């Protein structure tokens, strides 16, 4: 089951980063507009938000393990579908693939809490490290695959083999490993809606703001560095570094968080690192771009910390499922506005400085909310 969790997690970002890494060739091949490209880049976060609402229902109907297996099957089908035809099919296939990812995003933390109750921090660390590694692999290897296979369609579609392998291992783990029970199996129906819980809203906005930071950086960092005089190859390498840093950070932060009654100190440390990196990119991007990128990459440890806090701030599997769905559905919808607004502000002001300083302010809010969410109590 642990191997299944890791392999499933490794498939939750290549669907996004593989296509993004060859997006120029996709545009040229399909002859599509900038508006279509903007819509394609917005599909993942929007789908993560909307489809996540269905995850708890699927978990109750099928059981957590079967629901994740079905989601991996949907992901595989979407990855294949989106490379077989024109612009509308690419959009539709991407939406289907991301719908599968969205359900996995919500339910795998529930499976972790249910199947590994004494090792939530460790397995969450493995999960988020594999997720970060998958994102980096999708970005790094797809251009090479395109050159080798001679087609962006084959290169992007090849990632379906990895998701198919994850599905096979997941089904074996769910059958022979510790079973992930349904949400209902842990007893009573929820006593009250999480919408009425102030802590649930703090965690939700905290999750949304850290996602906003991550997707803004992934979407705009090469352009920011390029406008500062950094060459394209170096800018791409620096973006890859931010993704790769997520692997060791994910292996360290969740176990540390799980061993502490309060995670507020970890939030403060990661928030200060992020603010220092973003402020450096805002005020002197070309002075030490490597340092700024490392600081931002380390600060993205907020993501695995947010995931493990969803488990730590709940007392039952049912509450974990509901909080995971609430935080990720609403949170990803919050994050979807970030890259768009960031670019619009850059166009209105003619400089990245205002956009970056606004991001520093949002990071201060993120750190404050994380400090509150990190206090030892449950929803």
């Amino acid at each position: 089951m642990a191997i299944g969790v890791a392999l499933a997690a490794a498939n939750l970002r290549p669907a996004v980063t593989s296509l993004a890494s060859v997006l120029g060739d996709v545009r040229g091949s399909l002859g599509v507009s900038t508006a279509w490209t903007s819509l394609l880049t917005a599909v993942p976060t929007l789908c993560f938000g909307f489809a996540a609402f269905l995850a708890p229902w699927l978990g109750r109907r099928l059981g957590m393990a079967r629901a994740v297996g079905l989601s991996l099957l949907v992901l595989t089908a979407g990855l294949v579908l989106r490379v077989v035809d024109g612009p509308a099919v690419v959009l539709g296939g991407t939406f289907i693939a991301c719908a599968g990812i969205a359900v996995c995003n919500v339910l795998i933390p529930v499976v972790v809490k249910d199947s590994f109750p004494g090792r939530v921090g460790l397995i969450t660390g493995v999960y988020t490290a594999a997720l970060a590694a998958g994102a980096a692999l999708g970005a790094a290897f797809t251009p090479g695959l395109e050159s080798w296979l001679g087609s962006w369609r084959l290169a992007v579609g090849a990632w379906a083999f990895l998701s198919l392998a994850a599905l096979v291992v997941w089904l074996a783990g769910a059958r022979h490993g510790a079973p992930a029970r349904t949400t209902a199996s842990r007893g009573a129906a929820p006593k009250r809606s999480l919408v009425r819980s102030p802590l649930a809203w703090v965690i939700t906005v905290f999750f949304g703001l850290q996602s906003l930071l991550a997707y803004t950086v992934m979407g705009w960092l090469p352009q920011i560095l390029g406008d500062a005089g950094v060459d394209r190859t170096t800018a791409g390498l620096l973006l890859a570094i931010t993704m790769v840093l997520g692997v060791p950070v994910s292996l360290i932060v969740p176990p540390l968080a799980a061993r502490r009654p309060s995670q507020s100190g970890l939030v403060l440390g990661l928030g200060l690192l992020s603010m220092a990196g973003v402020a450096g990119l805002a005020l002197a991007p070309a002075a030490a771009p490597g340092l700024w990128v490392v600081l931002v990459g380390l600060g993205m440890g907020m993501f695995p910390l947010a995931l493990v806090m969803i488990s730590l701030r709940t007392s039952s599997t049912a509450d974990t499922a509901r909080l995971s769905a609430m935080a990720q559905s609403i949170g990803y919808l919050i994050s979807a506005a970030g890259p768009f607004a960031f670019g619009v502000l850059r166009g209105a002001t003619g400089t990245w400085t205002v956009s970056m300083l606004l991001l520093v302010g949002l990071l201060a809010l993120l750190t404050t909310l994380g400090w509150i969410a990190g206090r030892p109590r449950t929803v």
Side-chain angles (χ1 to χ4, degrees):
M1 179 64 82
I3 295 171
V5 166
L7 193 53
N11 281 277
L12 301 187
R13 292 300 177 267
V16 178
T17 59
S18 63
L19 194 62
S21 66
V22 294
L23 193 55
D25 293 335
V26 174
R27 284 189 62 187
S29 171
L30 298 177
V32 293
S33 66
T34 302
W36 182 91
T37 307
S38 299
L39 178 60
L40 180 65
T41 57
V43 161
T45 50
L46 290 173
C47 192
F48 291 168
F50 287 119
F53 285 108
L54 297 175
W57 177 82
L58 278 175
R60 289 191 297 270
R61 293 281 295 182
L62 303 178
M64 295 298 168
R66 288 182 180 178
V68 172
L70 176 62
S71 301
L72 289 171
L73 179 62
V74 170
L75 167 60
T76 303
L79 290 175
V80 174
L81 175 64
R82 70 177 181 172
V83 298
V84 300
D85 207 342
V89 174
V90 173
L91 279 174
T94 299
F95 186 89
I96 292 171
C98 290
I101 292 171
V103 175
C104 287
N105 282 341
V106 173
L107 295 187
I108 289 181
V110 184
V111 173
V112 169
K113 185 179 179 72
D114 202 27
S115 297
F116 308 94
R119 298 181 178 181
V120 169
L122 174 62
I123 302 300
T124 300
V126 170
Y127 164 67
T128 52
L131 193 149
L137 289 173
F141 284 98
T142 305
L145 281 174
E146 182 186 19
S147 299
W148 182 48
L149 297 173
S151 165
W152 68 263
R153 293 183 186 273
L154 293 176
V156 171
W159 293 98
F161 288 104
L162 182 62
S163 63
L164 183 61
L167 173 60
V168 172
V169 174
W170 179 267
L171 293 177
R175 174 173 295 185
H176 301 294
R181 291 172 287 275
T182 65
T183 303
S185 68
R186 282 297 175 96
K191 293 181 180 179
R192 64 171 181 146
S193 171
L194 290 185
V195 173
R196 300 179 182 178
S197 168
L199 177 57
W201 278 108
V202 168
I203 292 173
T204 296
V205 179
F206 172 64
F207 187 93
L209 288 179
Q210 65 81 25
S211 296
L212 183 151
L213 168 67
Y215 282 96
T216 299
V217 169
M218 283 191 287
W220 290 109
L221 182 61
Q223 187 67 50
I224 294 167
L225 295 172
D227 289 350
V230 178
D231 66 270
R232 179 181 175 183
T233 301
T234 302
L237 177 62
L238 291 173
L239 176 60
I241 287 173
T242 65
M243 296 181 185
V244 171
L245 279 172
V247 177
V249 170
S250 294
L251 291 173
I252 294 170
V253 169
L256 279 177
R259 287 198 294 266
R260 297 165 178 245
S262 171
Q263 294 75 45
S264 298
L266 283 172
V267 171
L268 179 61
L270 293 172
L272 291 175
L273 288 174
S274 293
M275 283 186 273
V278 173
L281 287 171
L283 302 175
L291 174 60
W292 310 142
V293 163
V294 167
L295 291 173
V296 171
L298 292 174
M300 284 188 183
M302 288 285 194
F303 173 67
L305 185 56
L307 282 182
V308 79
M309 279 204 289
I310 289 174
S311 293
L312 297 176
R313 296 286 85 85
T314 53
S315 57
S316 69
T317 304
D319 285 345
T320 303
R322 293 191 300 135
L323 182 58
S324 182
M326 178 178 173
Q328 297 202 50
S329 57
I330 299 174
Y332 277 122
L333 292 177
I334 292 172
S335 72
F340 177 77
F342 195 77
V344 168
L345 190 56
R346 161 65 173 84
T349 61
T351 176
W352 291 110
T353 304
V354 176
S355 298
M356 298 297 286
L357 292 177
L358 176 60
L359 202 58
V360 172
L362 289 175
L363 278 167
L365 175 59
L366 165 67
T367 304
T368 302
L369 292 173
W371 178 274
I372 297 170
R375 296 172 182 169
R377 62 201 191 285
T378 57
V379 295

